[in-house]
Amino acid sequence: MQERIVGLTNIVRDQELQHVVMPLVAADHAWSAHHLYSPESHLFLDSWLCVSASEIWAEWKRKSWREEDPPERHATNRIRLRDVMPVDFLSSSDKALSPVISGVAIKPYADRLRALQEAERVHEMMSTAAYAMQKEVPGEFLSVVDRLWFGDDRPFQAARDAFRHVETELERWETELEAERSALARSILGIVPGDIVTSESQGKLLRLSVTSVTLYSSGSSVGFMVSGIRFRKDGTLGKL
């Protein structure tokens, strides 16, 4: 079962999926349940094992042949894979990460990086303009006056709604930009969350279980940030 779970985890990481699902059969698990229904209830139960890059959980669906008894779906709490399986079993080998990333590694992604920088520049320009306008947006008092003076037209309220829409779009754009930063950093560095990387820091060897990867660019320079949980000297996880 552990080997199957490792295989599913590798699929999630390689294909950049949220999680994968494997149907469970009687041989895959043991039942532990209270007697909630009598045998004549004619219930059917399907269960699945769900595996992400770092977590594992089970889901199941109960259904009956009676129309008045609608199906129900439940799920267990999510458990970290490293809490139930040996850490070294989940990763075939450590990945060495150089403290300095050469331009050769970045060059194949130059066009994508320039597109990201341009999108960030436009986003920053729009954010600056939008929040400069925030002082001009009518306050709550004018919104009340708006309703009394203008009835259904409410120009002040329309201005407030328009600004909220701009705020929402800017937040969505920032989320998309961060996702692209992370995806681009993963492509350049060749690592994904869940990998174990080693690097030299201040003359000492650093071993890290990766939780997130991103980058920051300015002009012709690019910086990478790899976050994760460090390994202790005894090889166990837990040092932030």
Side-chain angles (χ1 to χ4, degrees), residues 105-117:
I106 299 175
K107 187 175 181 179
Y109 305 93
D111 291 341
R112 188 174 168 186
L113 184 60
R114 281 193 293 269
L116 174 62
Q117 291 173 335

Side-chain angles (χ1 to χ4, degrees), residues 134-151:
Q134 187 173 14
K135 297 179 181 179
E136 307 300 327
V137 176
E140 294 293 344
F141 174 75
L142 287 181
S143 296
V144 176
V145 175
D146 192 21
R147 185 174 66 255
L148 297 176
W149 285 356
F150 299 102

Side-chain angles (χ1 to χ4, degrees), residues 113-132:
L113 184 60
R114 281 193 293 269
L116 174 62
Q117 291 173 335
E118 181 63 19
E120 289 177 329
R121 187 186 67 80
V122 175
H123 178 265
E124 182 179 0
M125 180 179 63
M126 293 180 62
S127 298
T128 301
Y131 290 113

Side-chain angles (χ1 to χ4, degrees), residues 13-14 24 101 115 144 163 185 220:
R13 294 176 180 172
D14 294 342
L24 290 173
I101 306 301
V144 176
F163 182 75
S220 58

Side-chain angles (χ1 to χ4, degrees), residues 37-180:
Y37 303 96
S38 60
E40 61 270 16
S41 298
H42 296 287
L43 296 176
F44 302 93
L45 187 67
D46 295 319
S47 53
W48 307 271
L49 185 68
C50 304
V51 181
S52 70
S54 59
E55 296 176 320
I56 184 171
W57 68 98
E59 295 185 5
W60 65 94
K61 182 178 181 181
R62 181 199 65 80
K63 55 186 177 180
S64 172
W65 62 273
R66 295 190 180 93
E67 293 184 358
E68 64 272 15
D69 190 5
E72 298 177 357
R73 185 159 184 159
H74 304 276
T76 64
N77 293 330
R78 299 191 178 198
I79 302 174
R80 293 192 309 171
L81 279 170
R82 299 185 184 278
D83 288 341
V84 296
M85 296 178 64
V87 171
D88 291 335
F89 192 70
L90 294 178
S91 183
S92 57
S93 61
D94 295 355
K95 296 184 178 180
L97 186 63
S98 173
V100 179
I101 306 301
S102 67
V104 176
I106 299 175
K107 187 175 181 179
Y109 305 93
D111 291 341
R112 188 174 168 186
L113 184 60
R114 281 193 293 269
L116 174 62
Q117 291 173 335
E118 181 63 19
E120 289 177 329
R121 187 186 67 80
V122 175
H123 178 265
E124 182 179 0
M125 180 179 63
M126 293 180 62
S127 298
T128 301
Y131 290 113
M133 294 170 54
Q134 187 173 14
K135 297 179 181 179
E136 307 300 327
V137 176
E140 294 293 344
F141 174 75
L142 287 181
S143 296
V144 176
V145 175
D146 192 21
R147 185 174 66 255
L148 297 176
W149 285 356
F150 299 102
D152 294 336
D153 292 338
R154 301 187 184 182
F156 293 153
Q157 183 62 42
R160 290 173 60 83
D161 292 342
F163 182 75
R164 290 195 185 99
H165 177 71
V166 170
E167 278 189 313
T168 300
E169 286 300 307
L170 288 174
E171 290 174 358
R172 183 188 63 81
W173 200 346
E174 175 58 34
T175 300
E176 294 295 332
L177 285 173
E178 181 54 40
E180 175 60 15

